[in-house]
Amino acid sequence: TSGLASLKPYPTPESLIGKTIAASLTDSARVILPIIFNLKGIDPSSIRWQAADPGIYFSLLLEEKVDLFTASIDGDVPALMRVAAPRGKNVYFSSFAEWGYDVFGYFLVTTSEKITSQPEEVRAFASATVKAVKYCLENPEETAKIMVKYNPTLDYTTTLNQWKQSIKAINTDYIKKNGYGIATAERLQRTADLVKQAFKMDVALKPDQFYATGFIIR
């Protein structure tokens, strides 16, 4: 779901050269974008960072003080659309994943002891999660209604729009082809290598060290 929001399209990493991006000092984009730039052979110093609190990202962008800001497609983009539309402005989203930052975003976490002692329960929990996500992808309106029912402070329209944006991030071409929740050794290794690069970790890290081998498709 991570990327950059803007009022003009920026279709490639190269299109960011010379642009100003608003991001807090601890924002993950400050780590992710240099990785993407290195993958593409682009000098990371060719972009300008504007340190800012997330609460003023919208105003900085609408007042044209920055060209883009770090954003999530499900949380920030729908909210920005509501503000930008009355001003006759379109909102664009540049996805880090589409630029090569191919990492697993979410994991189910448990202990190695649980996997060993109750493997069927672990597998059943994972299967139930996959089933639930698939159902929500196919039934976005009902999903939003359920969220609002159990979280009455939420607005239905906003929740629905946010979930529809989440679907775009979840239902990628890879997922359409292989299915939700599929973990291959190759993709897990790529995630590990990117994390090692981001945190400058000089350590060997293999998929079977952090992912249950019974769920890895080889």
Side-chain angles (χ1 to χ4, degrees), residues 46-78:
S46 61
I47 55 175
R48 296 189 292 267
W49 293 103
Q50 173 62 58
D53 183 272
I56 63 170
Y57 286 172
F58 287 16
S59 60
L60 288 175
L61 183 66
L62 292 169
E63 293 172 10
E64 299 184 357
K65 294 181 178 179
V66 299
D67 299 297
L68 313 94
F69 68 81
T70 177
S72 64
I73 193 173
D74 51 353
D76 298 308
V77 170

mmCIF file of all heavy atoms in Angstrom, residues 46-78:
data_model
loop_
_atom_site.group_PDB
_atom_site.id
_atom_site.type_symbol
_atom_site.label_atom_id
_atom_site.label_comp_id
_atom_site.label_asym_id
_atom_site.label_seq_id
_atom_site.Cartn_x
_atom_site.Cartn_y
_atom_site.Cartn_z
ATOM 1 N N SER A 46 19.273 12.791 -6.072
ATOM 2 C CA SER A 46 18.636 13.585 -7.118
ATOM 3 C C SER A 46 17.213 14.016 -6.749
ATOM 4 O O SER A 46 16.573 14.745 -7.497
ATOM 5 C CB SER A 46 18.591 12.799 -8.430
ATOM 6 O OG SER A 46 17.848 11.600 -8.288
ATOM 7 N N ILE A 47 16.724 13.567 -5.591
ATOM 8 C CA ILE A 47 15.429 14.050 -5.104
ATOM 9 C C ILE A 47 15.652 14.881 -3.850
ATOM 10 O O ILE A 47 16.652 14.723 -3.155
ATOM 11 C CB ILE A 47 14.444 12.893 -4.792
ATOM 12 C CG1 ILE A 47 15.063 11.899 -3.812
ATOM 13 C CG2 ILE A 47 14.008 12.198 -6.056
ATOM 14 C CD1 ILE A 47 14.107 10.804 -3.377
ATOM 15 N N ARG A 48 14.704 15.792 -3.583
ATOM 16 C CA ARG A 48 14.802 16.661 -2.418
ATOM 17 C C ARG A 48 13.743 16.253 -1.396
ATOM 18 O O ARG A 48 12.571 16.081 -1.731
ATOM 19 C CB ARG A 48 14.606 18.125 -2.826
ATOM 20 C CG ARG A 48 15.667 18.651 -3.760
ATOM 21 C CD ARG A 48 15.527 20.153 -3.953
ATOM 22 N NE ARG A 48 14.306 20.480 -4.685
ATOM 23 C CZ ARG A 48 14.258 20.621 -5.997
ATOM 24 N NH1 ARG A 48 15.351 20.473 -6.725
ATOM 25 N NH2 ARG A 48 13.126 20.917 -6.606
ATOM 26 N N TRP A 49 14.161 16.096 -0.155
ATOM 27 C CA TRP A 49 13.236 15.754 0.923
ATOM 28 C C TRP A 49 12.834 17.005 1.686
ATOM 29 O O TRP A 49 13.686 17.833 2.019
ATOM 30 C CB TRP A 49 13.883 14.763 1.897
ATOM 31 C CG TRP A 49 14.151 13.415 1.310
ATOM 32 C CD1 TRP A 49 15.357 12.931 0.893
ATOM 33 C CD2 TRP A 49 13.202 12.380 1.086
ATOM 34 N NE1 TRP A 49 15.234 11.662 0.419
ATOM 35 C CE2 TRP A 49 13.908 11.286 0.520
ATOM 36 C CE3 TRP A 49 11.830 12.259 1.293
ATOM 37 C CZ2 TRP A 49 13.282 10.098 0.168
ATOM 38 C CZ3 TRP A 49 11.207 11.068 0.944
ATOM 39 C CH2 TRP A 49 11.930 10.000 0.392
ATOM 40 N N GLN A 50 11.550 17.132 1.958
ATOM 41 C CA GLN A 50 11.038 18.219 2.795
ATOM 42 C C GLN A 50 10.536 17.594 4.090
ATOM 43 O O GLN A 50 9.532 16.890 4.103
ATOM 44 C CB GLN A 50 9.897 18.955 2.101
ATOM 45 C CG GLN A 50 9.202 19.993 2.972
ATOM 46 C CD GLN A 50 10.151 21.100 3.399
ATOM 47 O OE1 GLN A 50 10.739 21.784 2.579
ATOM 48 N NE2 GLN A 50 10.304 21.274 4.709
ATOM 49 N N ALA A 51 11.267 17.811 5.177
ATOM 50 C CA ALA A 51 10.842 17.273 6.465
ATOM 51 C C ALA A 51 9.550 17.958 6.902
ATOM 52 O O ALA A 51 9.454 19.188 6.885
ATOM 53 C CB ALA A 51 11.933 17.485 7.517
ATOM 54 N N ALA A 52 8.556 17.163 7.265
ATOM 55 C CA ALA A 52 7.258 17.734 7.639
ATOM 56 C C ALA A 52 6.488 16.742 8.485
ATOM 57 O O ALA A 52 6.694 15.526 8.411
ATOM 58 C CB ALA A 52 6.451 18.087 6.395
ATOM 59 N N ASP A 53 5.561 17.286 9.267
ATOM 60 C CA ASP A 53 4.634 16.453 10.023
ATOM 61 C C ASP A 53 3.549 15.964 9.067
ATOM 62 O O ASP A 53 3.070 16.739 8.219
ATOM 63 C CB ASP A 53 4.015 17.251 11.163
ATOM 64 C CG ASP A 53 3.110 16.407 12.020
ATOM 65 O OD1 ASP A 53 1.897 16.305 11.684
ATOM 66 O OD2 ASP A 53 3.578 15.842 13.017
ATOM 67 N N PRO A 54 3.144 14.679 9.187
ATOM 68 C CA PRO A 54 2.102 14.168 8.286
ATOM 69 C C PRO A 54 0.820 14.996 8.277
ATOM 70 O O PRO A 54 0.098 15.017 7.278
ATOM 71 C CB PRO A 54 1.849 12.754 8.822
ATOM 72 C CG PRO A 54 3.153 12.354 9.441
ATOM 73 C CD PRO A 54 3.700 13.616 10.042
ATOM 74 N N GLY A 55 0.547 15.702 9.365
ATOM 75 C CA GLY A 55 -0.671 16.491 9.456
ATOM 76 C C GLY A 55 -0.741 17.652 8.481
ATOM 77 O O GLY A 55 -1.822 18.195 8.234
ATOM 78 N N ILE A 56 0.407 18.040 7.910
ATOM 79 C CA ILE A 56 0.395 19.172 6.972
ATOM 80 C C ILE A 56 0.758 18.745 5.545
ATOM 81 O O ILE A 56 0.968 19.598 4.676
ATOM 82 C CB ILE A 56 1.340 20.307 7.432
ATOM 83 C CG1 ILE A 56 2.797 19.832 7.468
ATOM 84 C CG2 ILE A 56 0.910 20.838 8.790
ATOM 85 C CD1 ILE A 56 3.787 20.962 7.674
ATOM 86 N N TYR A 57 0.825 17.434 5.297
ATOM 87 C CA TYR A 57 1.151 16.964 3.942
ATOM 88 C C TYR A 57 0.177 17.526 2.904
ATOM 89 O O TYR A 57 0.582 17.996 1.841
ATOM 90 C CB TYR A 57 1.094 15.437 3.872
ATOM 91 C CG TYR A 57 2.244 14.710 4.520
ATOM 92 C CD1 TYR A 57 2.208 13.326 4.657
ATOM 93 C CD2 TYR A 57 3.375 15.371 4.984
ATOM 94 C CE1 TYR A 57 3.248 12.627 5.239
ATOM 95 C CE2 TYR A 57 4.422 14.687 5.580
ATOM 96 C CZ TYR A 57 4.347 13.297 5.700
ATOM 97 O OH TYR A 57 5.386 12.619 6.278
ATOM 98 N N PHE A 58 -1.119 17.447 3.217
ATOM 99 C CA PHE A 58 -2.134 17.877 2.242
ATOM 100 C C PHE A 58 -1.949 19.343 1.864
ATOM 101 O O PHE A 58 -1.966 19.710 0.691
ATOM 102 C CB PHE A 58 -3.546 17.672 2.800
ATOM 103 C CG PHE A 58 -3.993 16.238 2.849
ATOM 104 C CD1 PHE A 58 -3.089 15.193 2.739
ATOM 105 C CD2 PHE A 58 -5.328 15.923 3.022
ATOM 106 C CE1 PHE A 58 -3.498 13.869 2.793
ATOM 107 C CE2 PHE A 58 -5.754 14.600 3.077
ATOM 108 C CZ PHE A 58 -4.837 13.575 2.969
ATOM 109 N N SER A 59 -1.786 20.190 2.874
ATOM 110 C CA SER A 59 -1.668 21.625 2.605
ATOM 111 C C SER A 59 -0.389 21.934 1.839
ATOM 112 O O SER A 59 -0.382 22.791 0.950
ATOM 113 C CB SER A 59 -1.712 22.422 3.916
ATOM 114 O OG SER A 59 -0.665 22.042 4.781
ATOM 115 N N LEU A 60 0.696 21.251 2.152
ATOM 116 C CA LEU A 60 1.945 21.469 1.413
ATOM 117 C C LEU A 60 1.773 21.124 -0.055
ATOM 118 O O LEU A 60 2.252 21.853 -0.937
ATOM 119 C CB LEU A 60 3.070 20.606 2.016
ATOM 120 C CG LEU A 60 3.620 21.032 3.375
ATOM 121 C CD1 LEU A 60 4.631 20.005 3.867
ATOM 122 C CD2 LEU A 60 4.271 22.408 3.300
ATOM 123 N N LEU A 61 1.063 20.028 -0.333
ATOM 124 C CA LEU A 61 0.856 19.614 -1.716
ATOM 125 C C LEU A 61 -0.101 20.550 -2.444
ATOM 126 O O LEU A 61 0.180 20.999 -3.566
ATOM 127 C CB LEU A 61 0.310 18.184 -1.751
ATOM 128 C CG LEU A 61 0.114 17.573 -3.142
ATOM 129 C CD1 LEU A 61 1.465 17.380 -3.832
ATOM 130 C CD2 LEU A 61 -0.631 16.244 -3.049
ATOM 131 N N LEU A 62 -1.218 20.881 -1.809
ATOM 132 C CA LEU A 62 -2.222 21.733 -2.457
ATOM 133 C C LEU A 62 -1.721 23.152 -2.677
ATOM 134 O O LEU A 62 -2.154 23.843 -3.599
ATOM 135 C CB LEU A 62 -3.505 21.730 -1.620
ATOM 136 C CG LEU A 62 -4.255 20.389 -1.575
ATOM 137 C CD1 LEU A 62 -5.338 20.419 -0.511
ATOM 138 C CD2 LEU A 62 -4.846 20.052 -2.934
ATOM 139 N N GLU A 63 -0.803 23.603 -1.821
ATOM 140 C CA GLU A 63 -0.216 24.931 -1.980
ATOM 141 C C GLU A 63 1.029 24.904 -2.862
ATOM 142 O O GLU A 63 1.715 25.920 -2.994
ATOM 143 C CB GLU A 63 0.129 25.497 -0.603
ATOM 144 C CG GLU A 63 -1.105 25.792 0.256
ATOM 145 C CD GLU A 63 -0.741 26.165 1.680
ATOM 146 O OE1 GLU A 63 0.471 26.378 1.940
ATOM 147 O OE2 GLU A 63 -1.657 26.215 2.528
ATOM 148 N N GLU A 64 1.316 23.718 -3.433
ATOM 149 C CA GLU A 64 2.429 23.526 -4.370
ATOM 150 C C GLU A 64 3.785 23.842 -3.750
ATOM 151 O O GLU A 64 4.719 24.268 -4.443
ATOM 152 C CB GLU A 64 2.206 24.360 -5.643
ATOM 153 C CG GLU A 64 0.937 23.982 -6.385
ATOM 154 C CD GLU A 64 0.771 24.755 -7.693
ATOM 155 O OE1 GLU A 64 1.618 25.619 -7.988
ATOM 156 O OE2 GLU A 64 -0.199 24.481 -8.415
ATOM 157 N N LYS A 65 3.902 23.595 -2.456
ATOM 158 C CA LYS A 65 5.182 23.763 -1.790
ATOM 159 C C LYS A 65 6.028 22.497 -1.894
ATOM 160 O O LYS A 65 7.244 22.530 -1.668
ATOM 161 C CB LYS A 65 4.965 24.156 -0.327
ATOM 162 C CG LYS A 65 4.328 25.528 -0.175
ATOM 163 C CD LYS A 65 4.147 25.898 1.285
ATOM 164 C CE LYS A 65 3.548 27.299 1.417
ATOM 165 N NZ LYS A 65 3.324 27.683 2.839
ATOM 166 N N VAL A 66 5.374 21.372 -2.197
ATOM 167 C CA VAL A 66 6.064 20.119 -2.496
ATOM 168 C C VAL A 66 5.398 19.501 -3.725
ATOM 169 O O VAL A 66 4.267 19.852 -4.079
ATOM 170 C CB VAL A 66 6.027 19.127 -1.309
ATOM 171 C CG1 VAL A 66 6.713 19.722 -0.083
ATOM 172 C CG2 VAL A 66 4.591 18.727 -0.982
ATOM 173 N N ASP A 67 6.090 18.575 -4.346
ATOM 174 C CA ASP A 67 5.542 17.911 -5.535
ATOM 175 C C ASP A 67 4.794 16.633 -5.179
ATOM 176 O O ASP A 67 3.841 16.251 -5.864
ATOM 177 C CB ASP A 67 6.674 17.577 -6.509
ATOM 178 C CG ASP A 67 7.407 18.821 -6.984
ATOM 179 O OD1 ASP A 67 6.767 19.668 -7.641
ATOM 180 O OD2 ASP A 67 8.608 18.945 -6.687
ATOM 181 N N LEU A 68 5.237 15.964 -4.127
ATOM 182 C CA LEU A 68 4.618 14.714 -3.701
ATOM 183 C C LEU A 68 4.765 14.582 -2.190
ATOM 184 O O LEU A 68 5.557 15.305 -1.555
ATOM 185 C CB LEU A 68 5.298 13.490 -4.353
ATOM 186 C CG LEU A 68 5.575 13.500 -5.855
ATOM 187 C CD1 LEU A 68 6.994 13.988 -6.110
ATOM 188 C CD2 LEU A 68 5.401 12.106 -6.449
ATOM 189 N N PHE A 69 4.026 13.648 -1.619
ATOM 190 C CA PHE A 69 4.274 13.292 -0.224
ATOM 191 C C PHE A 69 4.107 11.787 -0.058
ATOM 192 O O PHE A 69 3.403 11.128 -0.829
ATOM 193 C CB PHE A 69 3.391 14.069 0.757
ATOM 194 C CG PHE A 69 1.923 13.736 0.718
ATOM 195 C CD1 PHE A 69 1.415 12.627 1.380
ATOM 196 C CD2 PHE A 69 1.025 14.570 0.046
ATOM 197 C CE1 PHE A 69 0.060 12.338 1.364
ATOM 198 C CE2 PHE A 69 -0.324 14.287 0.022
ATOM 199 C CZ PHE A 69 -0.814 13.168 0.694
ATOM 200 N N THR A 70 4.792 11.249 0.923
ATOM 201 C CA THR A 70 4.714 9.816 1.178
ATOM 202 C C THR A 70 3.320 9.464 1.679
ATOM 203 O O THR A 70 2.763 10.151 2.530
ATOM 204 C CB THR A 70 5.791 9.388 2.186
ATOM 205 O OG1 THR A 70 5.659 7.994 2.467
ATOM 206 C CG2 THR A 70 5.675 10.168 3.475
ATOM 207 N N ALA A 71 2.733 8.395 1.126
ATOM 208 C CA ALA A 71 1.321 8.114 1.393
ATOM 209 C C ALA A 71 1.025 6.624 1.280
ATOM 210 O O ALA A 71 1.795 5.846 0.709
ATOM 211 C CB ALA A 71 0.451 8.883 0.396
ATOM 212 N N SER A 72 -0.129 6.253 1.818
ATOM 213 C CA SER A 72 -0.665 4.905 1.633
ATOM 214 C C SER A 72 -1.873 5.017 0.710
ATOM 215 O O SER A 72 -2.642 5.980 0.799
ATOM 216 C CB SER A 72 -1.075 4.285 2.972
ATOM 217 O OG SER A 72 -2.129 5.020 3.559
ATOM 218 N N ILE A 73 -2.035 4.038 -0.168
ATOM 219 C CA ILE A 73 -3.114 4.109 -1.140
ATOM 220 C C ILE A 73 -4.480 3.955 -0.486
ATOM 221 O O ILE A 73 -5.487 4.482 -0.965
ATOM 222 C CB ILE A 73 -2.932 3.039 -2.241
ATOM 223 C CG1 ILE A 73 -3.875 3.318 -3.416
ATOM 224 C CG2 ILE A 73 -3.132 1.642 -1.692
ATOM 225 C CD1 ILE A 73 -3.654 2.419 -4.607
ATOM 226 N N ASP A 74 -4.530 3.253 0.647
ATOM 227 C CA ASP A 74 -5.833 3.019 1.289
ATOM 228 C C ASP A 74 -6.195 4.088 2.307
ATOM 229 O O ASP A 74 -7.363 4.454 2.432
ATOM 230 C CB ASP A 74 -5.874 1.637 1.943
ATOM 231 C CG ASP A 74 -4.687 1.381 2.863
ATOM 232 O OD1 ASP A 74 -3.758 2.210 2.903
ATOM 233 O OD2 ASP A 74 -4.681 0.332 3.533
ATOM 234 N N GLY A 75 -5.224 4.626 3.029
ATOM 235 C CA GLY A 75 -5.535 5.618 4.051
ATOM 236 C C GLY A 75 -5.493 7.057 3.558
ATOM 237 O O GLY A 75 -6.443 7.825 3.722
ATOM 238 N N ASP A 76 -4.390 7.424 2.907
ATOM 239 C CA ASP A 76 -4.177 8.822 2.534
ATOM 240 C C ASP A 76 -4.865 9.224 1.231
ATOM 241 O O ASP A 76 -5.389 10.337 1.120
ATOM 242 C CB ASP A 76 -2.669 9.094 2.413
ATOM 243 C CG ASP A 76 -1.943 8.878 3.720
ATOM 244 O OD1 ASP A 76 -2.380 9.456 4.730
ATOM 245 O OD2 ASP A 76 -0.947 8.133 3.732
ATOM 246 N N VAL A 77 -4.835 8.355 0.230
ATOM 247 C CA VAL A 77 -5.349 8.732 -1.088
ATOM 248 C C VAL A 77 -6.849 9.064 -1.071
ATOM 249 O O VAL A 77 -7.255 10.102 -1.605
ATOM 250 C CB VAL A 77 -5.031 7.643 -2.127
ATOM 251 C CG1 VAL A 77 -5.769 7.894 -3.436
ATOM 252 C CG2 VAL A 77 -3.517 7.601 -2.382
ATOM 253 N N PRO A 78 -7.718 8.231 -0.471
ATOM 254 C CA PRO A 78 -9.140 8.606 -0.450
ATOM 255 C C PRO A 78 -9.391 9.932 0.260
ATOM 256 O O PRO A 78 -10.230 10.724 -0.168
ATOM 257 C CB PRO A 78 -9.802 7.440 0.302
ATOM 258 C CG PRO A 78 -8.889 6.285 0.086
ATOM 259 C CD PRO A 78 -7.511 6.880 0.111
#
